[in-house]
Amino acid sequence: MSFPSAAAQLVTLAAEGGEHGGNHQSLNPYLVGGCALFILLLLLWITTRFNRDR
């Protein structure tokens, strides 16, 4: 597969996905971001508890 044909296929794929938007109706971006932040902070806290040798 050559680069121009692969690029043409990717352009076609990107153009088809434009009407869908990619977001599910039930997903709230603020809730998902808040949960991700909470999980990352929890993992950071757990990591610092196990790293007391410093």
Side-chain angles (χ1 to χ4, degrees):
M1 179 182 282
S2 66
F3 181 74
S5 65
Q9 288 178 351
L10 287 175
V11 168
T12 305
L13 181 64
E16 290 173 356
E19 64 265 3
H20 299 296
N23 292 334
H24 196 270
Q25 294 293 330
S26 65
L27 290 178
N28 184 354
Y30 294 111
L31 180 64
V32 172
C35 289
L37 178 63
F38 175 75
I39 290 170
L40 288 173
L41 288 174
L42 180 66
L43 288 173
L44 178 65
W45 181 79
I46 290 170
T47 302
T48 56
R49 296 303 106 197
F50 281 114
N51 199 11
R52 290 186 179 240
D53 56 342
R54 292 185 181 191

